[in-house]
Amino acid sequence: MTTNTQQIVIWDKYVRLFHWSVATLFLLDFWVLEGGDPPHNWVGYAIGFLLIGRILWGFIGSHNARFSSFFPTPTRLRQHLADMKAGKVDPHEGHNPVGALMIFFLLTLLSLIVLTGWMQRWDMFWGVEWVEETHEVLANIAMIAVVIHITAVVVMERKLGISLIRTMITGKRSL
């Protein structure tokens, strides 16, 4: 017996390419490459360019990619938490308001990491300790946020019965 399940598009190709590219590059820079070495710097620049593209895409991209579709207002947060409590989930939704808080947090952190890394290349900040320390602290906070993000995705997959990881890979969700 076969069942026909309807597939809906949640994430466009750019959002998925951005997500997996930044995730890979950040982990590579954090765990593998030596800070200050040219490969570390080039990966940081690549993340910066991807961030610029994603920010632009947040204004002109597909519906679920647009920041306006998931900006976490107090009203949206209250409604989402009430829906979660009632066991209701919109299967067409991309980022829910709580997830959006993490997305904006990660975008801000990554932007500040790229900025402080780039600042270390400027003559006026060359060897300035607070810039280097800020860069390292932000990277550590980002890694903690990544662990929280992954944990939340796994927990929400189990709670909601929706494959969030598969959706971020394929872009589609089964109804």
Side-chain angles (χ1 to χ4, degrees):
M1 174 186 218
T2 59
T3 58
N4 265 342
T5 57
Q6 182 182 3
Q7 297 277 307
I8 56 170
V9 175
I10 301 294
W11 301 118
D12 62 51
K13 287 180 184 175
Y14 184 79
V15 168
R16 290 179 288 134
L17 179 66
F18 168 81
H19 177 272
W20 294 113
S21 296
V22 168
T24 302
L25 293 172
F26 176 75
L27 292 173
L28 182 67
D29 244 6
F30 190 89
W31 292 110
V32 178
L33 300 176
E34 187 66 36
D37 285 352
H40 177 89
N41 298 341
W42 285 108
V43 166
Y45 297 142
I47 291 171
F49 283 113
L50 285 165
L51 284 166
I52 290 168
R54 178 61 183 99
I55 291 166
L56 290 172
W57 198 244
F59 294 101
I60 64 170
S62 62
H63 173 73
N64 281 341
R66 290 185 185 213
F67 299 138
S68 61
S69 75
F70 63 88
F71 193 80
T73 64
T75 301
R76 284 179 173 173
L77 284 163
R78 278 192 302 278
Q79 183 62 51
H80 174 70
L81 294 173
D83 288 348
M84 288 289 297
K85 189 174 182 180
K88 295 189 313 184
V89 177
D90 180 359
H92 295 86
E93 182 177 60
H95 291 301
N96 65 56
V98 176
L101 290 172
M102 180 58 83
I103 299 310
F104 286 116
F105 183 62
L106 285 169
L107 289 173
T108 301
L109 272 177
L110 288 169
S111 297
L112 292 171
I113 292 165
V114 168
L115 177 63
T116 55
W118 185 37
M119 286 170 62
Q120 291 177 60
R121 310 302 302 158
W122 303 352
D123 287 343
M124 66 189 290
F125 294 112
W126 182 262
V128 174
E129 196 170 314
W130 73 264
V131 178
E132 292 175 24
E133 288 176 4
T134 301
H135 183 74
E136 289 179 24
V137 166
L138 291 171
N140 288 326
I141 293 169
M143 183 52 68
I144 293 167
V146 165
V147 170
I148 293 168
H149 172 65
I150 293 168
T151 303
V153 166
V154 171
V155 167
M156 293 310 293
E157 274 196 356
R158 290 187 178 157
K159 182 171 176 56
L160 302 175
I162 296 174
S163 180
L164 301 173
I165 297 169
R166 187 179 69 221
T167 303
M168 188 52 79
I169 293 169
T170 66
K172 297 175 183 172
R173 179 175 296 154
S174 297
L175 291 181

